[in-house]
Structures are given as structure tokens and as C-alpha cells.
Amino acid sequence: MFSNLAEKLQSTFRQLKGKGKLSEKDVDTAMRDIRLALLEADVNFKVVKDFVTAVRERAVGQEVMSSLTPGQQVIKIVNEEMTRLMGDKQSGLAKSNKGQTTIMMVGLQGSGKTTTAVKLAGHLRREGRNPLLVAADIYRPGAVKQLQVLSESIGEKCYSNLEADPVEICREGLQISEKESFDVTIFDTAGRLHIDDEMMSEITGIKNEIKPDEVLLVVDAMTGQDAVNAAASFHEALGLSGVILTKLDGDTRGGAALSVRKVTGCPVKFVGTGEKIEALEPFYPDRMASRILGMGDVLSLIEKAEATIDQDKAKEMEKKLRKQQFTLEDFRDQIAQLRSMGSLDDILNMLPDGGYIPKEIKQMSLNEDSFKVVEAIIGSMTGNERQDPTILNSSRRRRIARGSGTTVQDVNRLLNQFNQMQKMFKQMNLADKKGSSKKMKKVKKKFPF
Amino acid sequence: MSLIDQFKNGLARSKSGFISRLDGLFGGGEINEAFYEELEEILVSGDVGVQTSVKLVDQLKEEIRRQKIKAREEARNLLLQLITGIMKPGETSVEQDEQPFVILLVGVNGSGKTTTAAKLANLYRQERKNVLLVAGDTFRAAAIEQLEIWAARAGVELIKQQPGSDPSALFFDAINAAKARAVDLVIGDTAGRLHSRHNLMEELNKIHRVIGRIMPGAPHRVLLVLDATTGQNAVAQAKSFNQSLAIDGLVLTKLDGTARGGIVINIADELKIPVCYVGTGETMDDLAPFRPEEFARALLED
Ligand SMILES: Nc1nc2c(ncn2[C@@H]2O[C@H](COP(=O)(O)OP(=O)(O)OP(=O)(O)O)[C@@H](O)[C@H]2O)c(=O)[nH]1
Ligand SMILES: Nc1nc2c(ncn2[C@@H]2O[C@H](COP(=O)(O)OP(=O)(O)OP(=O)(O)O)[C@@H](O)[C@H]2O)c(=O)[nH]1
Ligand SMILES: [Mg+2]
Ligand SMILES: [Mg+2]
């Protein structure tokens, strides 16, 4: 419903246009939109209050009111405030100067500590470090085995001791790490509730024993209003040094990131984007900001496209686009390229909602089967038809359907999607000429079609 | 006062901060806009969501006007009724003519499926049912071992295959074995999956189809296991899982924390999916049938 705050704000301000100056009451309306969007994104309600107050102050005082595009001005302020709160820049892991770096994973049950511990080990290995994992969860059935299996899967060592208590295990692990010239030790601890006094004092005990350089709180990105309670308690008990946000590969807006950041003051250092051990990424405050605001993670998308798309092909495509010679064959190539970027779900998740991408295209399912259908349909067309689909009357469509083993509806749907895509390019070209947003230009350049 | 202090003084330690605040709210005073606003805030802070909170408060206003209610105390009771009216408990009986009764547990990563499978096995084992657990998560590291340990603790049998094997094939064998061994209740664990992953949802759908092919009508109850700390994303989860394989009910886990799981109101209201059980801890005994009264009180008071 509030999937795109940017659009909502634009429309609110559009309604207010022509009234000369905006009143404070007009601004209130916009602030309500912002409040709703943030609450829908699971930002804690107290954090939302503070945030809206800050944005309001800036919005009312400044040139916004008299600006010709107050909507855009407010969006800019919202985005800036949000990015500022998320932390202006990326922060990496602490590196101890005493040779050994120690990292402790803590958090609620099931948040992703064990998986993330191994992900971090993999990351550190790629940075040329030599990590040891320590299995200090003696409670959850199979927890030690889980850490062992995951460590082994990437060829890392894991220390465990089924006879000892967690504090002992950690002490032993650290000793072994020092003796055998590992230079990073990562401690996986049991999941626990922040109100479980016994378990909280256990983890304080571990912390006092190993005096870690990093105490990382692992937070599930789907967490709701309660994120602040757990984060505040863990921070109070342990003095956190950073946060890792997991399961961001889903479609959650991840407002918990802002809440946790606000109550602990700790930076988010990494994000988890999948179950695979490689699925660990640096945290980009600006991207998280636009995700929470529902403005789509346009930048991530650009990077992903950059990594997978054949740049020469992309240039050629851009030329074609400019001349508006985008044919059905190009359409098929583009879909094939999109598929090679990974799961389409992932990609679509990162696109701004609404906005630039027509819904016919967003709803296109690009799994293996539907791609075969696209191939079959286009394969059943004559060369002329592919170059100029406008000649496809109903008898031609019937022939193609028969030839490709599909239905006329399938053919119509594909042509409709193609038309939408063409239309989208036209709009992009137009917008480009008018000097549209920088972001969109970037997308256009890097996007495969 | 810094934000962190606010939380420390407020909700962080226990639910008591919440209670006293509500006592203050419902204790006395007239019913005015401020009252409604604060009420809405309490609902939102319990993850009920803005839309549903506003809807509830609007309904409450209407009732208060109609019944000419003046005391906040009475308003509270009305709200409790409104919530319990939406939250009818889901079915928990596993009795039926043809055996076995098949329960399938699904949900996103880490929500508590495997632990809930163990809890259910324990619960129905105590009711003298012949229970069979199926280690349907063949994907996650040591997921099979995890359920194996639980099965031993609960004293029930477990059917498993190699890590990485096809879960549909496993369920095929498991249901056949259950039929042959006169098992009363089959409880199937599955791998955690985010609802936005198309192919993983397809896999789940396939498991469902395979079970139904061997035993028409099965699985008889598909339960979506939902972590009570989940925010608004829970609605998207419920929608997607429901679309893929028709969810019969929810298990709301981790209610022993400070989260109140208010999002299930939205799911019950919009998707008509009831809560069947709640999880309140990490041992096998920490499972209870859902009681709407208790849930609503915890959401609003204690
Ligand atoms: N999709 C996705 N799943 C994740 C991510 N990180 C972890 N998981 C999954 O989440 C589930 C829980 O992860 P664990 O690492 O076992 O979590 P934990 O915090 O160690 O759990 P406890 O030790 O029981 O408290 C597993 O199914 C993981 O595969 C992520 O970034 N994305
Ligand atoms: N406090 C509390 N913890 C719970 C509850 N239910 C499960 N847990 C814990 O949550 C963590 C994850 O539980 P699992 O049963 O492994 O979750 P899962 O859904 O099977 O996880 P995946 O298979 O990795 O997707 C474990 O540490 C459990 O002990 C509950 O009701 N209360
Ligand atoms: Mg763990
Ligand atoms: Mg499991």
C-alpha cells in the first residue's frame, strides 16, 4: 500500500500545488505519509517519532515551502536524514593490533548467528586472514554439528568440545587459535532471549573471558517493533560493536535496521543475503535508506547488472534503444541475460516499486519454463514478423501459437510485454532528453535492456 | 533522556513497563482523542500494524458511541472482545477415521519449524498417539541431526534420508511407511525458505502434491510457523505460503520474549488463517494451544 513513499509524497505535494505557499498543515500531511511508510517498514514507533520531528523541522524552516518542487525537496530531506541515521559511511571489522582478532556473535534464537559466523570466516579468508571458528552453543540440538558442517564446506577449521561449558569452550578455542597461529577467532554462541537473566549472564561471562574486539549482534531483517528491546538489552549487557542484518534477500523493508542503529548507535557492518555461505555483503547506508523508504535499491541493481552484463552488448543495445529499433529478438536476448543475473525474484526485489517499470513486466515470471515459452514463440515467427511485430494479425498469431505449441493468449501476452518494454524505453529516452534524475540515467545505461 | 534509556526504563526488561503504561491508560480519565491515540500506539508497538490498529480503534470508537460508554475500563473490555472476536483459535485435533493424520510444517528460515515439530510430536505422544517425524529439511546443515536428537528425546520414530536428497521422495517413503506401520500422526519438518523464492515455493508445492497422491486429502493440516518477533513482513509470508499450498493455521513461536506477535490479527482478519498453537520456549513442553483471551490480554495488558 505504501510501497512507494517517493510517489506518495510527490502526489501529496502535487495536490497542494497552485496554492501559493505551503502551510504547516500541508507539511503535516506529508509527515503523516512518512510516518505511515516507516511504520509499515517496521521502524520502531518511537524512532519514527524522532525521525519525523527532525524531517519536519528541516522541511518547515527551509526553502522547501517556496520551492517549485516541494515534493522532491522533501524526498531529498527524508533520504538524507535516513542515510545520516543509518551511518554516513561503511564500517569494516575491527582489526586488533595484538595479532589476534576476536569476534563474538550474539543474538536472539534463529537470527542467523551460526550461518553468519561461517560467512564471516569465508570473508576474512578472502582478505588473506586465517580464521578459526569456535562452537559455543551447547544447547540447541545439532548446533555444534551445524557449525562443523558449514565450516568444513568452505574448508575452515572449527573448534568444539562437547564436554565443556561455553566459557571453557571459548577459553580453549582462543588458546588453540593463538597456539596454532590462526589470526582471527569467531565465537558462535547460542541464541538467547534478552530477558533471560541466566543466559544473559552466561554471555557476559564469555565476553569477560575472551575480551572480544567485536561483539556483533545478528538481527533478522524481518524483525518488527520488538527489535529495539532486544538490541537495547544486548547492548546494555555486552557493549555491542556492530550489527549484522540477515535475511535481506527477502522482500522485507528492513526498518529494524534503523531502529537497532538508533538505540545502539552501532553501525551495521554486513548484511546477509541468502543461505549460501557466500551470501554476505557490505552494508551500504544509502541503499538501506532507500529500501526502508520503499524507493527501491536501485544502486544494488546497477552493480549486479554491471557484474553480469556483457558491456559491449549493453552498448549496442543502448544504440538500438536510442534509435528505437528494439526488436523481438533483442527482447529474447534481454530476457536470457536477465536470467543469468540470478533469480529474477532477487532482481525484482531491488527494483523501485511502481515507478519506472510497468507492471506487465514486473509480473512476467522468468523461470525456466516461461523462458522456454518465450523462445518457442519467437522461434515460430518469420524473420519479418520478428523485425516488425505490428504485422502480426490474428491469423498469424494463431499460426505462431500452433507452431510453438502454445496458445494465442500466450502469444498475446508476450507481445503485450514486448510493447510495454518498448514503451518504457521510449519514456526513458524522453525522460533522458528532459534531463531526468541521475539515478534513472544510470539505470538505463546499466540495465540489460 | 536518550532513546536507549527510554527503552531501558520502558519495555526492555520485561513486559511490566507495558502493563503499568496500560494501567495508566485504562485506569481512569475520560475517553478522548488522546486516549485513542495512545491506544493506537500500543497496538502498533505490538506489531499489529498501522492499518489494522486504525481499523480496530475505529471499530472501538463506533461501539463506544453506540453503547454510550464513558469509562476507560469498559473500553478495554470492548477492545478485548473485538480482538478475540477476530482471533478464533485454529483446530488442534488430529482425530480422523483414516490414519495417518499428516501435519506439514512450513515457514521462513529460523522461525522454529524443527523445534515445533519436536514439540508437536511430544504433545501427541503424550496423548498416546503413535507419532512419526519426517526430517524433511534435507538442505540446511545438520538439520537432520537436529530433528534426530529431538525425536530421541520425544521417544518417537524418525524417517530420514541423506542430506541433499529430494524431500518429495522422502515424504513419499515416509507416508507409505506410516500407512504400513499403523502410525496415527505424521509430522513433517521442511527446510526454511523465504516466501519470495519462487523455486523453493515450487518445491514445497511438489512435496504437498506428492503427499496428496499417496494419501488423498493429505496433508491434513499445513501449519505456517511464524516467529512472534516478525513485523509487517509476516503478512507477505502468510500470503505467499497460502498461495502455494493453502495454510490451515499458524504456530506463533517465541512468545516467551518481549514481542507480542500482533501481526497475527491482520493475518486472521485478512486471510482468515487462525493461530493453532503458540511456542513459549526452547524445550519440548513449551507449546500450547492458542488462547485468544490470553493473547489479547498480553497484547493490551498482562
Ligand atoms: N535467506 C536467508 N537465510 C538465512 C540468512 N542467514 C541465515 N539464514 C538461515 O536462517 C536459519 C537460521 O540460521 P542459523 O545460522 O541457524 O541461526 P542462529 O542464530 O545460529 O540460530 P540459533 O543458534 O538457533 O539461535 C537457517 O535456515 C539459515 O540458513 C540469510 O541471510 N538469508
Ligand atoms: N525462546 C524460544 N525459542 C524458540 C522457540 N521455538 C524455537 N526456538 C528457537 O529458535 C531457534 C530456531 O529454531 P528451529 O526450530 O531450528 O527453526 P527452523 O524454523 O527449523 O529453522 P530452519 O530450519 O533453519 O529454517 C532455535 O534456537 C530454537 O531453540 C520458542 O517458542 N521460544
Ligand atoms: Mg546457531
Ligand atoms: Mg529447521
Side-chain angles (χ1 to χ4, degrees):
Chain A
M1 174 159 197
F2 307 106
S3 56
N4 194 336
L5 179 64
E7 244 174 33
K8 192 103 205 278
L9 286 176
Q10 296 263 34
S11 92
T12 298
F13 281 99
R14 218 171 289 132
Q15 286 161 20
L16 300 173
K17 258 209 174 146
K19 284 175 61 177
K21 265 193 156 182
L22 296 179
S23 68
E24 286 213 8
K25 202 160 146 258
D26 295 335
V27 176
D28 283 343
T29 314
M31 294 308 127
R32 209 174 50 222
D33 291 343
I34 297 170
R35 176 175 170 270
L36 281 177
L38 294 182
L39 287 174
E40 286 286 313
D42 288 324
V43 180
N44 181 269
F45 75 101
K46 287 185 192 170
V47 179
V48 171
K49 263 189 192 165
D50 288 0
F51 181 82
V52 171
T53 308
V55 170
R56 194 172 200 294
E57 257 165 37
R58 280 187 61 188
V60 172
Q62 286 188 4
E63 67 285 3
V64 175
M65 299 308 185
S66 50
S67 154
L68 281 174
T69 53
Q72 280 169 26
Q73 292 285 329
V74 172
I75 290 167
K76 210 176 124 227
I77 293 175
V78 169
N79 221 340
E80 277 172 14
E81 274 302 306
M82 179 73 80
T83 309
R84 193 178 60 78
L85 276 178
M86 291 304 326
D88 276 328
K89 55 181 190 308
Q90 257 177 275
S91 27
L93 286 174
K95 192 173 170 183
S96 170
N97 45 18
K98 55 184 195 284
Q100 262 284 340
T101 305
T102 42
I103 301 173
M104 185 171 156
M105 317 296 291
V106 302
L108 296 178
Q109 288 94 344
S111 59
K113 296 171 293 299
T114 306
T115 312
T116 309
V118 181
K119 287 180 179 181
L120 274 181
H123 165 80
L124 288 161
R125 171 69 62 193
R126 284 191 293 276
E127 299 214 311
R129 311 286 298 272
N130 187 21
L132 175 72
L133 288 139
V134 177
D137 177 0
I138 59 167
Y139 307 100
R140 167 172 163 178
V144 172
K145 184 72 193 266
Q146 185 189 2
L147 189 70
Q148 283 169 342
V149 170
L150 289 175
S151 305
E152 245 167 60
S153 76
I154 57 164
E156 297 299 341
K157 291 258 162 35
C158 167
Y159 175 75
S160 62
N161 178 352
L162 296 176
E163 248 76 88
D165 71 50
V167 177
E168 273 166 22
I169 295 170
C170 291
R171 186 190 311 128
E172 291 165 4
L174 189 55
Q175 280 164 2
I176 286 177
S177 188
E178 276 159 357
K179 209 168 71 201
E180 297 185 7
S181 70
F182 291 96
D183 57 11
V184 186
T185 318
I186 304 170
F187 302 87
D188 176 34
T189 66
R192 66 200 71 220
L193 289 176
H194 52 291
I195 50 169
D196 184 335
D197 290 338
E198 215 172 293
M199 289 298 281
M200 288 309 279
S201 79
E202 179 203 88
I203 197 121
T204 313
I206 296 179
K207 192 204 162 184
N208 293 340
E209 178 66 35
I210 57 180
K211 303 191 175 54
D213 300 299
E214 290 272 8
V215 183
L216 300 175
L217 180 70
V218 180
V219 179
D220 185 326
M222 297 177 280
T223 314
Q225 296 289 316
D226 194 51
V228 289
N229 297 326
S233 303
F234 272 101
H235 191 45
E236 191 198 342
L238 298 169
L240 302 171
S241 64
V243 172
I244 296 184
L245 206 62
T246 62
K247 310 181 199 174
L248 260 185
D249 43 326
D251 56 6
T252 178
R253 296 267 286 280
L258 186 66
S259 308
V260 170
R261 162 86 207 192
K262 188 81 197 284
V263 288
T264 64
C266 292
V268 180
K269 299 203 165 180
F270 291 94
V271 299
T273 56
E275 292 186 73
K276 296 218 181 78
I277 296 305
E278 310 82 63
L280 184 75
E281 292 173 18
F283 175 73
Y284 297 101
D286 50 340
R287 293 180 195 177
M288 195 66 218
S290 65
R291 177 170 179 150
I292 293 174
L293 290 168
M295 300 197 188
D297 198 345
V298 178
L299 292 165
S300 289
L301 180 70
I302 293 168
E303 239 175 40
K304 199 158 189 175
E306 232 164 351
T308 32
I309 302 298
D310 182 331
Q311 287 305 319
D312 290 340
K313 264 198 186 162
K315 275 214 188 87
E316 198 182 301
M317 189 56 59
E318 208 187 329
K319 247 189 252 158
K320 281 191 170 171
L321 282 176
R322 290 210 178 277
K323 292 191 197 141
Q324 302 193 0
Q325 289 174 335
F326 185 69
T327 66
L328 273 164
E329 269 166 351
D330 298 325
F331 178 68
R332 179 182 55 192
D333 288 352
Q334 291 314 303
I335 293 175
Q337 283 215 1
L338 261 182
R339 278 168 68 251
S340 68
M341 281 167 70
S343 140
L344 192 78
D345 287 345
D346 284 353
I347 298 164
L348 291 188
N349 274 335
M350 287 187 291
L351 285 174
D353 293 308
Y356 316 114
I357 314 294
K359 82 171 181 303
E360 284 83 352
I361 293 177
K362 270 205 272 190
Q363 284 168 350
M364 253 166 95
S365 76
L366 290 186
N367 56 31
E368 208 59 44
D369 288 346
S370 62
F371 180 65
K372 281 201 193 110
V373 172
V374 171
E375 287 234 278
I377 293 175
I378 296 177
S380 296
M381 293 180 184
T382 66
N384 284 343
E385 286 168 346
R386 281 181 220 165
Q387 287 302 315
D388 180 13
T390 56
I391 61 172
L392 288 169
N393 56 21
S394 55
S395 75
R396 282 176 190 255
R397 290 182 192 206
R398 270 199 301 277
R399 191 207 75 235
I400 293 166
R402 239 180 294 123
S404 58
T406 60
T407 65
V408 175
Q409 281 96 315
D410 290 331
V411 177
N412 288 342
R413 190 175 319 121
L414 180 125
L415 289 172
N416 187 25
Q417 284 162 347
F418 171 71
N419 284 336
Q420 289 298 330
M421 216 177 263
Q422 248 187 345
K423 219 187 269 167
M424 178 170 90
F425 294 136
K426 264 184 212 154
Q427 276 166 4
M428 282 179 173
N429 276 336
L430 274 179
D432 216 21
K433 278 178 200 133
K434 279 197 220 142
S436 73
S437 80
K438 252 193 242 144
K439 252 189 190 166
M440 199 55 223
K441 271 191 203 158
K442 256 184 162 166
V443 174
K444 205 178 81 62
K445 254 206 199 116
K446 300 287 159 42
F447 211 55
F449 42 70
Chain B
M1 192 162 61
S2 78
L3 201 61
I4 187 164
D5 290 330
Q6 282 180 42
F7 283 111
K8 255 191 277 173
N9 294 346
L11 304 174
R13 275 282 152 221
S14 69
K15 295 183 184 179
S16 61
F18 195 67
I19 300 161
S20 58
R21 206 172 124 199
L22 272 158
D23 279 350
L25 182 62
F26 286 115
E30 56 173 334
I31 296 174
N32 51 16
E33 258 325 294
F35 169 76
Y36 288 124
E37 253 169 47
E38 202 166 329
L39 204 54
E40 196 186 304
E41 207 161 76
I42 285 162
L43 292 171
V44 168
S45 76
D47 288 317
V48 174
V50 185
Q51 275 173 276
T52 311
S53 299
V54 169
K55 190 171 154 188
L56 280 172
V57 170
D58 282 349
Q59 282 173 359
L60 180 69
K61 274 184 192 167
E62 177 64 30
E63 277 303 299
I64 285 177
R65 207 177 42 81
R66 219 171 48 82
Q67 302 185 23
K68 302 195 171 50
I69 284 170
K70 293 277 179 307
R72 288 186 175 192
E73 186 66 38
E74 278 177 78
R76 161 165 58 188
N77 291 335
L78 258 186
L79 186 56
L80 280 176
Q81 279 171 24
L82 274 178
I83 295 171
T84 47
I86 300 170
M87 302 305 299
K88 297 276 172 264
E91 187 59 64
T92 57
S93 160
V94 296
E95 304 296 336
Q96 70 180 19
D97 290 342
E98 192 194 357
Q99 303 297 29
F101 191 94
V102 181
I103 295 179
L104 194 65
L105 296 167
V106 301
V108 298
N109 307 82
S111 61
K113 294 172 292 301
T114 307
T115 313
T116 301
K119 290 174 176 178
L120 286 171
N122 180 52
L123 179 74
Y124 290 104
R125 170 98 194 95
Q126 284 170 356
E127 290 184 10
R128 312 225 152 275
K129 295 261 181 287
N130 185 4
V131 180
L132 180 73
L133 277 168
V134 186
D137 180 357
T138 58
F139 177 75
R140 211 209 63 211
I144 299 170
E145 283 87 346
Q146 188 186 356
L147 194 60
E148 212 165 14
I149 295 169
W150 279 122
R153 284 189 197 167
V156 306
E157 267 199 84
L158 174 90
I159 293 229
K160 58 166 185 174
Q161 279 177 10
Q162 291 303 308
S165 59
D166 175 12
S168 300
L170 167 67
F171 275 100
F172 182 89
D173 290 352
I175 304 292
N176 277 329
K179 278 172 142 180
R181 292 186 214 168
V183 163
D184 302 315
L185 174 64
V186 175
I187 301 169
D189 187 17
T190 62
R193 68 200 74 220
L194 294 182
H195 54 285
S196 49
R197 298 304 299 261
H198 180 79
N199 52 343
L200 295 182
M201 296 304 279
E202 271 300 303
E203 179 192 78
L204 208 51
N205 189 271
K206 187 175 159 207
I207 292 173
H208 193 280
R209 282 199 311 269
V210 165
I211 296 175
R213 211 178 303 139
I214 314 166
M215 183 175 183
H220 307 95
R221 193 165 298 145
V222 180
L223 295 174
L224 176 67
V225 180
L226 189 70
D227 184 332
T229 56
T230 316
Q232 302 307 300
N233 192 248
V235 181
Q237 290 175 25
K239 276 187 185 150
S240 300
F241 277 98
N242 196 35
Q243 233 164 41
S244 282
L245 68 176
I247 300 298
D248 298 298
L250 304 176
V251 182
L252 190 61
T253 63
K254 310 186 195 176
L255 264 184
D256 45 328
T258 48
R260 276 171 292 274
I263 194 62
V264 295
I265 298 182
N266 188 321
I267 296 173
D269 191 30
E270 201 180 320
L271 303 173
K272 309 290 171 231
I273 301 175
V275 184
C276 296
Y277 307 90
V278 297
T280 54
E282 295 187 81
T283 79
M284 258 176 349
D285 298 316
D286 298 320
L287 185 80
F290 176 67
R291 284 187 275 274
E293 270 285 306
E294 251 172 54
F295 167 80
R297 277 183 196 286
L299 188 70
L300 290 179
E301 45 185 351
D302 191 33

